[in-house]
Amino acid sequence: KALLFLGSGSVIHSMEHALHHAHQHEDPQDMRNMGGLGKHMKITAATFVLGAAALAGVPGLSGFFSKEEILTGAWGVSKIYWLLGIAGAVMTAFYMTRQVFKTFFGRFRLGENIEHHLHESPIVMTLPLMLLAVGAVGAGWIAKPFQEFLSPVFQAHEAAEHAGGHAFPMMIAIAAAAVGIVTGCAFYAKTSEVPGRIVSAIPGAYRLLYNKYYVDEIYDRLIVSKGHQLSRFLAQLFDVYVVDGLVNGVGKLVAGIGEVVKQSQTSYVRNYALTMVAGVILLVGYLMIR
């Protein structure tokens, strides 16, 4: 996953550079604007393909070992969980194959005026990609030292072996990866009419998936718009009449008291003397009453 994320960042970096120098404003993160990047970004492409193959569960790569352990463990616990895992494995292999072909193979979709600005990322980006690619290839082969640490997983693995054998779920896991990769190649290795036909056959499902189950729209309607309403209420009513009213009210009260006190400061000596006499009279009266 780290390799794939950093590889995506390398691709976006190159796309942003090319679009900037061509003075274009296309989305540098949209795969529909890419294609053919492999010949301009050989290190990024090679390491990304390794990461995609590992995530898809190609035998021998790191993702195969982890996915096989999970699916074998699920086989011994619940066949429903196992079937869901197999479905996920097929979809993962399919969409990673799609991503690789639409990004790194075929022709560049935005024209030569942008394509000739594409370039490989600097060493500070490609070196981590190469190091992570080594992990994507070989991490699964060093799992035995961690067997004690991963004992819960291996216990489930052993239970699955006793329940139904280890070979069958492993072969199904390999077949799931193969089905996803082969289907992705059939759809996207070359120009194919199959995806368009599927869209035409199930337009409703396509729109649902294309719009990501409308999660963004639902979130905007239920959270963002309500947040805007609350913000407007706080800004236009609560802030103006409560917060500002309290602060301004304190200021006006202090100013009013100041105005009253100011009236007693006349700068006339006779007024001050009269005040002092009045104070003495009040004090003497108070003492006499006591």
Side-chain angles (χ1 to χ4, degrees), residues 12-289:
I12 294 168
H13 169 76
S14 182
M15 286 290 295
E16 287 181 340
H17 172 85
L19 290 168
H20 173 75
H21 284 275
H23 305 289
Q24 299 294 321
H25 302 285
E26 301 291 342
D27 185 358
Q29 301 188 38
D30 192 336
M31 287 193 303
R32 292 171 296 184
N33 295 330
M34 301 177 190
L37 298 187
K39 59 186 176 183
H40 303 285
M41 309 178 69
K42 291 182 173 58
I43 297 176
T44 298
T47 54
F48 194 96
V49 168
L50 285 174
L55 187 66
V58 172
L61 302 182
S62 62
F64 166 76
F65 293 95
S66 58
K67 186 170 294 186
E68 188 268 336
E69 289 290 348
I70 292 169
L71 292 175
T72 302
W75 173 267
V77 175
S78 169
K79 298 302 184 289
I80 299 296
Y81 294 160
W82 178 78
L83 287 172
L84 292 174
I86 290 296
V90 172
M91 288 188 287
T92 299
F94 174 79
Y95 73 66
M96 290 311 304
T97 303
R98 173 181 181 271
Q99 186 176 37
V100 166
F101 277 110
K102 289 183 71 67
T103 302
F104 297 106
F105 294 93
R107 61 177 182 82
F108 185 69
R109 299 179 183 86
L110 294 183
E112 295 182 358
N113 62 319
I114 297 176
E115 183 176 10
H116 77 273
H117 291 293
L118 294 170
H119 62 84
E120 182 60 274
S121 297
I123 189 66
V124 294
M125 298 180 72
T126 55
L127 179 59
L129 291 177
M130 290 185 283
L131 294 175
L132 289 168
V134 173
V137 172
W141 297 99
I142 59 174
K144 288 190 179 297
F146 302 98
Q147 187 166 1
E148 184 177 350
F149 175 73
L150 297 174
S151 57
V153 174
F154 287 102
Q155 288 169 7
H157 178 84
E158 293 168 1
E161 288 182 329
H162 294 302
H166 176 69
F168 177 72
M170 181 180 68
M171 295 305 297
I172 296 297
I174 296 174
V179 168
I181 293 173
V182 170
T183 305
C185 290
F187 282 19
Y188 299 105
K190 295 182 179 180
T191 303
S192 172
E193 297 180 356
V194 175
R197 291 176 180 173
I198 294 175
V199 170
S200 299
I202 49 173
Y206 172 77
R207 285 193 298 271
L208 179 66
L209 296 173
Y210 182 82
N211 290 286
K212 297 162 290 188
Y213 303 99
Y214 296 97
V215 171
D216 291 342
E217 288 77 6
I218 294 171
Y219 180 83
D220 184 74
R221 179 68 62 87
L222 298 181
I223 305 298
V224 176
S225 62
K226 302 303 181 183
H228 287 170
Q229 293 176 9
L230 177 61
S231 298
R232 285 192 292 270
F233 167 76
L234 294 175
Q236 298 173 5
L237 296 176
F238 184 80
D239 188 59
V240 172
Y241 293 103
V242 178
V243 178
D244 289 350
L246 182 61
V247 174
N248 295 335
V250 171
K252 290 178 180 179
L253 177 62
V254 173
I257 294 173
E259 285 293 330
V260 172
V261 174
K262 184 176 70 174
Q263 298 302 320
S264 64
Q265 305 300 317
T266 62
S267 299
Y268 291 112
V269 175
R270 62 176 182 272
N271 290 342
Y272 295 152
L274 180 61
T275 301
M276 292 175 62
V277 171
V280 170
I281 293 173
L282 289 173
L283 181 59
V284 171
Y286 172 73
L287 293 174
M288 291 177 64
I289 293 173

